[in-house]
Amino acid sequence: MNRSARAFWLRSPGHGELRDVTLAAPAEGEVLVRALYSGVSRGTETLVFRGQVPESQHAAMRAPFQDGDFPGPVKYGYLSVGKVEQGPAELIGRTVFCLYPHQSRYVVPVSAVTVVPESVPAARAVLAGTVETAVNALWDAAPLIGDRIAVVGGGMVGCSVAALLARFPGVRLQLVDADPARARTAEALGVDFATPEDARGGCDLVVHASATETGLTRALQLLAPEGTVVELSWYGDRRVSLPLGEAFHSRRLTVRSSQVGTVSPAARAGRDYADRMALALDLLADPALDALITGESAFEQLPDVMPKLATGRIPALCHRIRYAEAV
């Protein structure tokens, strides 16, 4: 087997590098995966890259196969797609998704990989982790037929939620974002678009994913009485102020958190993490979701690309990383 690999590390906040890795031979019950693509989760990964993970959240924010500790040096990431080169016979040659950092080859337990359905291209499967977040959010939100719904924040997670909600029968749905350019993405997903000032109110449900204080405030304003905001944004070490006076109590509004690290037993009894990931991959058979991938770079360029993603010089939803073996 080829035991050499390269991995992307955050050396210190704002500075990344590629490091050589020597892999151990896979043991029984393990697989060797050759990476084809990985995805940069622009919200969480750029917070990590800027060193903005609060100390109180260092343990909660660990990725499944993270090496090192926050704020750095740390190897971080969780959107990897590759081919199994060594392992059980039924997996050799199969395309799999794994919650692994940006690395050209890696060895993980068989239980850590999910086979990508043949209906889903490997290049699109990097979205699986984000669609899984959207699935979990909708399990928590439990939208009903005919609901009036807004998704505030047209980033990677918000657009994934909107794409899934577009399949619900009878809903009135808008994607709301301050950037008018997000209208093109909304159109590709088959979703109505509005800027915050033009968004329709009277919503039974608002899913908030803008990671801004103004976005969360606007989400509350869009609710009908007894309505609910499901909060998907993660703010790192930033404090957020909300108008919980005014009509918040008289209108009996609700703000509920949703976080992909937990499958709510109350939301979906009997479903586990593997079920959720398999469902997310099945949903990726829809080619409309290609609209969420807004750029691509070679793995060797990642140390130069990540700072540009973190500062917004490269505007992106999901930025895909291509490994040499994918060509």
Side-chain angles (χ1 to χ4, degrees):
M1 62 171 278
N2 186 343
R3 297 183 61 190
S4 63
R6 302 195 83 196
F8 176 75
W9 279 74
L10 172 64
R11 184 176 71 250
S12 60
H15 303 282
E17 63 187 11
L18 298 182
R19 297 184 180 181
D20 292 328
V21 179
T22 300
L23 303 176
E28 185 176 354
E30 293 184 327
V31 288
L32 169 67
V33 179
R34 170 173 53 87
L36 299 174
Y37 299 96
S38 58
V40 177
S41 178
R42 189 171 179 271
T44 302
E45 284 198 60
T46 56
L47 277 172
V48 170
F49 189 78
R50 293 191 298 263
Q52 293 180 321
V53 179
E55 187 173 351
S56 65
Q57 296 299 302
H58 282 190
M61 283 300 299
R62 287 192 67 86
F65 294 99
Q66 173 181 324
D67 278 341
D69 296 300
F70 304 119
V74 63
K75 183 176 74 174
Y76 194 82
Y78 44 82
L79 301 174
S80 182
V81 177
K83 281 195 178 292
V84 175
E85 291 192 320
Q86 193 170 338
E90 66 272 15
L91 289 178
I92 292 177
R94 301 295 299 272
T95 301
V96 295
F97 177 85
C98 185
L99 296 168
Y100 205 88
H102 308 282
Q103 185 165 311
S104 60
R105 279 182 171 83
Y106 47 89
V107 175
V108 293
V110 169
S111 59
V113 301
T114 304
V115 173
V116 176
E118 292 184 3
S119 58
V120 179
R124 190 187 304 149
V126 295
L127 296 169
T130 307
V131 174
E132 182 190 22
T133 300
V135 167
N136 202 68
L138 295 183
W139 282 357
D140 285 336
L144 300 174
I145 185 170
D147 271 357
R148 300 157 296 180
I149 305 173
V151 178
V152 176
M156 192 174 169
V157 171
C159 284
S160 296
V161 171
L164 300 190
L165 282 169
R167 304 170 181 217
F168 276 65
V171 301
R172 188 197 81 188
L173 175 64
Q174 272 192 329
L175 177 65
V176 180
D177 196 275
D179 182 0
R182 288 285 184 261
R184 293 193 296 271
T185 306
E187 182 180 9
L189 297 174
V191 177
D192 185 36
F193 175 83
T195 57
E197 57 272 18
D198 295 328
R200 298 175 69 178
C203 293
D204 305 292
L205 169 67
V206 178
V207 179
H208 179 244
S210 82
T212 66
E213 183 177 302
T214 55
L216 183 51
T217 298
R218 186 62 177 137
L220 284 168
Q221 293 169 345
L222 294 176
L223 287 176
E226 306 275 350
T228 297
V229 169
V230 173
E231 174 60 283
L232 292 184
S233 300
W234 189 72
Y235 298 90
D237 56 6
R238 290 177 291 142
R239 291 184 176 272
V240 176
S241 297
L242 283 179
L244 299 185
E246 302 176 5
F248 179 79
H249 289 283
S250 63
R251 296 173 64 215
R252 298 178 57 84
L253 304 182
T254 299
V255 179
R256 179 180 182 181
S257 67
S258 180
Q259 206 278 334
V260 73
T262 302
V263 178
S264 168
R268 282 295 177 268
R271 297 287 187 96
D272 60 16
Y273 295 100
D275 294 327
R276 190 176 65 187
M277 180 58 74
L279 174 59
L281 280 163
D282 284 340
L283 291 168
L284 279 167
D286 186 352
L289 290 163
D290 284 331
L292 304 186
I293 299 172
T294 52
E296 183 176 289
S297 300
F299 174 61
E300 292 75 16
Q301 298 173 308
L302 192 50
D304 295 323
V305 167
M306 191 67 85
K308 296 175 183 177
L309 290 169
T311 60
R313 281 182 289 166
I314 297 179
L317 293 175
C318 176
H319 193 85
R320 187 168 57 208
I321 303 302
R322 181 187 68 255
Y323 293 78
E325 290 86 347
V327 177

